[in-house]
Amino acid sequence: MSEAVSRRSALRLLGAAGAALGAAGAGGCVATVPPGTGPGSATSPPPEGGGPPGAPRPARAARVDALLERLTLEEKTALLHGRPDPASLGQAGYLPGVPRLGIPPLRLAEGTAGVRVAGPATALPAPVLLASAFDPELAREYGRVLGREGRALGQDILLGPNANLIRTPYAGRNAQRFAEDPRLTADLVAQVIRGIQDEGLIATVRHFALRNQEQGRGTVDVSIGEQALHETELRGFEAAVAAGAGAVMAADHKVNGVHAGESRPLLEELLRARWRFDGWVMSDWNATRSTVAAITAGLDMEMPGGTHFGEPLRQAVRGGSVSEPAVDQAVRRILGTLDRFGLLDGRAPRRPPRDPVAGARTARRIATAGAVLLRNEGGTLPLTGAAARSIAVIGPIGAGTSGAAGVPGVRGRVTAPLTAIKKRAGRTATVRYALGEDVHGRPLPAGLLTPAVDLDDRRIDAGRSWSWTGTFTLPADDEWTLLVHYSGQRPDVRLDGAELFPGPAQPGAGGLLGTAPDGLTVRRHTLALKAGPHRLAVTARGGAGGRRFRLRHTTKATRAADLAEAVRAAKASRSVVLFAHEDAAEGTDRAGLGLPGGQPQLIEAVAAANPRTTVVLHTSSATTMPWLAGTGAVLQMYHPGQEGAGATADLLFGDAEPGGRLTQTFPADERAHPAGGDPLRYPGVGGREEYTEGIQVGHRWYDVQRVAPLFPFGHGLSYTTWQYEQPAVRPEGGGLRVEFTVRNTGRRRGTEVAQVYLGPSPDLKLAQAVRALAGYRRLTLAPGEARRVTVDIDRRTLSSWDPGRHAWVLGTGRREVFVGRSSRELPLRTKTVVRSR
């Protein structure tokens, strides 16, 4: 649907951005942006929002210029790259500052769903769960928690949020993103940034741009057409600039032939000249590939070290290949942003104490608000009466905390779901537990090892090493999975001379939990072993801080026993809550869309034994469900954060309403999705990837291709029932105003997300969506209550990007407006005529 473009045309298209996106306010209503206005227009001032009040711009500029005059070249370049922190707080990056001039050191922390430092921090729900609430004001509060905690924990810059779209369900970092839809992503990114910067922490929107997968993330060359680029991926970044983001992180791959961190069309012509971004651009970690090309294209800061922007940059200036004014410009952008946040003259507010109680309260509110009830047959949920007094809890994360938070490196207080369910069910209830599938393994039987040795909990002191070589004798042929749990450097484990766990650990690889309940890293290796003796050798080194490791196993026999135990527990109980999981993280994409390991078979067996089985999904992205028909209910919790167990119990027992709706379409199978079956589209061929779906991202692709999804974008069930009535639409403020009535027709209070979609313009000869999300409203109504809802559609939403004009053009003519509960459940339809002014 979108045109492939050459590098030459890419330079032209990136230089024309058009009017900026109008960012949404509470409830998804957006102020109309008349033509020729907004942060991206030629006459508007650069954004001042999204941060604490600063000195007037002229005073800031004068202060920065005065500092520049006093800085040496060495000091200037020291501000343009990271260094090791002599007093690290466990954060991702550090800049030393210039103490003699009062320029402070800066600490940069990962902060997608919690501030990742050495100390404890609130583990918030994953952004995809936040997004499922369809609530921009809640997104702002999410940002405020990140901002408060970041400053309380000694940080100055937060590396987040992530404005990339959920383009493919295979992407390993989908949990860190918001949605497949450009409009919803833009709304939420803007509010998270405002929340972070409300608290005085500098937000860094990333990864600019088109970082939509992990496979080949540093090398793939993404080819995208001009219309698709502006209408899809750029919207979130444009909204971030309009919200006042202090920093932008450049992606590490190529965009239309040029590395993003060396792309003048992206960084100078689009980001700065057209959107008037006045913060600074940093590289992704270890993603700077040059000195001259990068700094002249507009990259200001290399992280985390100075391979290119340290001594090589100084040599380039002395040799004349980089002008010192180019260095000054990069330093000016950084210092100007620091001054805006009060970091140069002492105006920054004092660092607050960390408030873990407030953080936990917000985390629980978000985990509850974003939970999506995908299926609920025969009143399986909420649990009431006898079903609430006899419950089987099944699954490894049901009794543990590993994987519940889903925030690597963030240490918040996490409760096990089993504990929360037992507490809510009460003392008179019977709550059984069965493991279902052993993902962490059992100790190796001592009788199989000669000479005898304990390999289940070995501690190696700092500076020491330990080794054991012996015989591992099996009584029968079997399929074994050997697991090593370890801290620090992985032990070397060899069976019959072959290394079992070669190469570096890949978090999320294989989908099974990559971390043990006590925090040790877990690696697995499955192989068929013959009966008789095998040679086993283990070597471990203590390193600088000491190490721990253990060697464990599962077999076909142990797996069959675990499954049988789960079936017995299900048969003995009135209801079942089965926790299923998939681990996914940075560095690797998912191998498939199904649940990993033996979980599909476990669900089928348990649901066959007890049809009142609720499957609670702790997964990162869309999941295929061949087992769906046998279940009673499915509750999507993604990675719910430290308060996920309590929120899940509230939802299961009906103390809270599942108010979330899907922000990504769930495909029916591995081939029926926008990136399925076309390797050029994903993951790329020969290092090149084409976004041939064009503007038809996410739910738009399903509509234009007439493919039925498993669950559509916007889907989510409720514990009550809803009726939509009396649609009306009229011109308003250069856009459209849509009105309709939502009525709670059930017997209990409930939360609904009303969604408005817009049909194509008959007058535009451009690719258009069959239906594009135009607005939404989250509302809570009492039984029988009705409310008149208003959603405004702004001029930007009514427009398309014309690659011939390199501008937004209004989609005039008779257009259809749809209202309902999801992209595929739209009971109200009306038409209006859009006219140019």
Side-chain angles (χ1 to χ4, degrees):
M1 296 296 296
S2 80
E3 67 283 7
V5 294
S6 66
R7 179 179 177 184
R8 182 175 179 182
S9 62
L11 300 181
R12 184 179 67 249
L13 73 91
L14 288 171
L21 173 68
C29 290
V30 179
T32 298
V33 181
T37 66
S41 70
T43 58
S44 64
E48 284 284 350
R57 185 177 297 278
R60 285 165 37 196
R63 184 160 35 245
V64 170
D65 286 343
L67 283 171
L68 272 170
E69 289 181 2
R70 300 176 63 190
L71 286 167
T72 67
L73 178 61
E74 286 73 18
E75 289 170 335
K76 291 174 185 176
T77 57
L79 293 171
L80 304 185
H81 66 84
R83 288 185 180 178
D85 187 347
S88 177
L89 301 177
Q91 78 281 359
Y94 173 78
L95 284 96
V98 183
R100 74 178 184 89
L101 296 179
I103 300 173
L106 301 175
R107 290 183 170 89
L108 303 83
E110 290 283 354
T112 305
V115 182
R116 196 187 306 180
V117 293
T122 300
L124 290 164
V128 69
L129 181 56
L130 164 70
S132 300
F134 278 74
D135 189 341
E137 281 305 310
L138 191 59
R140 190 158 189 165
E141 182 55 35
Y142 186 96
R144 289 190 183 107
V145 172
L146 291 171
R148 285 196 300 269
E149 293 216 337
R151 296 206 69 246
L153 293 167
Q155 304 303 303
D156 307 288
I157 301 161
L158 198 72
L159 304 175
N162 189 330
N164 300 119
L165 296 182
I166 297 176
R167 176 179 177 258
T168 167
Y170 297 112
R173 297 178 80 173
N174 278 351
Q176 299 179 12
R177 301 179 175 118
F178 294 98
E180 68 187 22
D181 185 83
R183 164 61 192 280
L184 181 60
T185 295
D187 292 350
L188 300 178
V189 164
Q191 293 296 344
V192 170
I193 286 171
R194 290 188 175 102
I196 292 168
Q197 297 189 163
D198 284 346
E199 303 296 327
L201 197 67
I202 299 171
T204 307
V205 64
R206 60 185 190 180
H207 307 81
F208 188 57
L210 300 161
R211 167 72 176 279
N212 303 120
Q213 65 190 61
E214 293 302 287
Q215 188 167 339
R217 67 182 192 176
T219 58
V220 69
D221 184 0
V222 175
S223 175
I224 185 170
E226 179 174 346
Q227 181 187 359
L229 178 64
H230 284 271
E231 291 192 24
T232 61
E233 179 79 1
L234 290 185
R235 290 195 69 177
F237 292 97
E238 191 179 0
V241 171
V248 169
M249 181 185 290
D252 49 358
H253 60 265
K254 294 179 181 179
V255 177
N256 290 326
V258 182
H259 278 287
E262 298 176 349
S263 173
R264 186 173 181 84
L266 272 176
L267 304 184
E268 288 291 347
E269 299 173 20
L270 175 63
L271 186 63
R272 293 192 173 105
R274 297 296 177 173
W275 292 350
R276 305 188 70 184
F277 173 65
D278 65 351
W280 85 86
V281 178
M282 71 178 72
S283 73
D284 200 349
W285 264 227
N286 300 305
T288 306
R289 289 175 170 79
S290 66
T291 299
V292 178
I295 197 162
T296 56
L299 186 70
D300 302 310
M301 182 183 291
E302 176 187 9
M303 293 302 295
T307 302
H308 298 283
F309 278 20
E311 181 58 27
L313 179 56
R314 291 188 286 273
Q315 292 178 1
V317 172
R318 296 182 186 116
S321 57
V322 172
S323 69
E324 191 158 353
V327 173
D328 290 349
Q329 180 65 276
V331 174
R332 182 177 285 108
R333 290 164 180 153
I334 295 168
L335 294 182
T337 305
L338 299 186
D339 199 37
R340 172 184 154 198
F341 283 79
L343 295 175
L344 294 184
D345 63 354
R347 289 179 293 104
R350 295 182 62 184
R351 293 191 184 274
R354 181 170 173 259
D355 189 345
V357 174
R361 184 167 54 246
T362 299
R364 184 154 179 167
R365 179 184 169 204
I366 293 168
T368 303
V372 185
L373 184 60
L374 297 177
R375 175 180 171 89
N376 193 19
E377 296 297 308
T380 300
L381 293 180
L383 299 175
T384 58
R389 295 190 294 270
S390 174
I391 305 169
V393 176
I394 296 172
I397 63 172
T401 59
S402 178
V407 188
V410 178
R411 289 179 284 280
R413 296 184 60 185
V414 183
T415 301
L418 177 62
T419 303
I421 290 171
K422 282 184 173 180
K423 181 178 179 181
R424 174 56 182 83
R427 295 182 179 178
T428 60
T430 299
V431 180
R432 301 173 176 86
Y433 175 71
L435 183 62
E437 182 177 26
D438 186 355
V439 296
H440 294 125
R442 296 159 162 79
L444 289 174
L448 301 184
L449 299 173
T450 307
V453 63
D454 181 9
L455 296 176
D456 193 50
D457 193 5
R458 304 294 311 193
R459 297 175 183 269
I460 316 300
D461 293 336
R464 305 294 296 273
S465 62
W466 180 90
S467 62
W468 176 89
T469 300
T471 302
F472 180 47
T473 305
L474 303 187
D477 296 354
D478 204 345
E479 181 184 86
W480 281 64
T481 296
L482 291 168
L483 305 91
V484 62
H485 303 193
Y486 62 96
S487 65
Q489 182 181 351
R490 174 184 50 79
D492 182 85
V493 182
R494 295 177 182 271
L495 186 66
D496 296 328
E499 187 176 0
L500 288 179
F501 311 103
Q506 290 185 313
L512 295 173
L513 295 176
T515 305
D518 59 358
L520 298 188
T521 300
V522 178
R523 296 280 300 275
R524 301 172 177 84
H525 186 96
T526 300
L527 68 171
L529 294 179
K530 296 290 186 180
H534 298 264
R535 195 73 170 166
L536 182 64
V538 183
T539 301
R541 295 173 178 81
R547 301 287 183 261
R548 289 176 57 204
F549 82 90
R550 51 182 170 256
L551 200 60
R552 293 195 165 189
H553 82 292
T554 62
T555 67
K556 274 189 177 179
T558 66
R559 291 191 283 273
D562 290 337
L563 181 62
E565 179 192 23
V567 169
R568 286 194 297 270
K571 288 180 176 179
S573 306
R574 294 295 296 269
S575 57
V576 176
V577 180
L578 192 157
F579 288 86
H581 71 274
E582 182 184 20
D583 214 7
E586 180 177 1
T588 182
D589 285 340
R590 302 164 69 193
L593 304 186
L595 291 171
Q599 292 180 104
Q601 294 79 14
L602 173 65
I603 294 172
E604 288 177 350
V606 168
N610 189 331
R612 290 188 61 87
T613 293
T614 295
V615 177
V616 180
L617 292 171
H618 282 212
T619 55
S620 66
S621 194
T623 303
T624 52
M625 305 180 191
W627 40 263
L628 180 66
T631 63
V634 179
L635 181 65
Q636 176 61 259
M637 294 297 295
Y638 293 109
H639 298 313
Q642 68 179 55
E643 301 301 315
T648 301
D650 289 344
L651 294 159
L652 292 173
F653 288 91
D655 302 330
E657 168 85 357
R661 304 295 183 262
L662 289 181
T663 68
Q664 56 187 310
T665 307
F666 278 38
D669 60 54
E670 293 275 352
R671 298 161 306 214
H673 57 86
D678 185 350
L680 185 59
R681 189 176 292 177
Y682 172 85
V685 176
R688 186 170 181 272
E689 182 179 40
E690 291 189 9
Y691 282 35
T692 54
E693 70 272 24
I695 70 158
Q696 310 296 356
V697 294
H699 58 95
R700 302 177 185 179
W701 180 89
Y702 289 86
D703 289 340
V704 78
Q705 296 294 330
R706 299 183 179 179
V707 172
L710 182 63
F711 296 111
F713 175 89
H715 170 76
L717 303 178
S718 173
Y719 288 155
T720 186
T721 54
W722 303 93
Q723 185 171 318
Y724 285 71
E725 306 167 343
Q726 302 172 327
V729 59
R730 68 175 188 272
E732 182 74 25
L736 299 176
R737 173 156 290 178
V738 182
E739 295 182 352
F740 52 93
T741 298
V742 179
R743 187 183 306 276
N744 182 348
T745 57
R747 298 182 178 180
R748 58 176 288 157
R749 186 179 181 85
T751 296
E752 176 69 324
V753 177
Q755 301 160 46
V756 177
Y757 294 81
L758 179 68
S761 161
D763 296 341
L764 291 181
K765 306 307 178 185
L766 298 168
Q768 297 181 72
V770 175
R771 284 178 293 275
L773 181 67
Y776 47 89
R777 173 78 71 175
R778 182 181 176 93
L779 64 160
T780 300
L781 301 179
E785 182 182 0
R787 184 175 302 171
R788 193 70 176 165
V789 177
T790 300
V791 173
D792 288 335
I793 303 178
D794 66 357
R795 187 181 181 92
R796 166 62 70 85
T797 303
L798 292 166
S799 301
S800 294
W801 181 269
D802 187 339
R805 302 182 188 180
H806 312 298
W808 293 97
V809 294
L810 183 66
T812 56
R814 183 173 293 275
R815 304 189 68 168
E816 197 164 11
V817 176
F818 308 80
V819 180
R821 307 195 65 241
S822 78
S823 65
R824 290 293 179 97
E825 187 179 347
L826 299 165
L828 303 185
R829 299 187 180 192
T830 186
K831 293 184 179 180
T832 189
V833 176
V834 176
R835 295 183 173 88
S836 60
R837 292 167 59 177

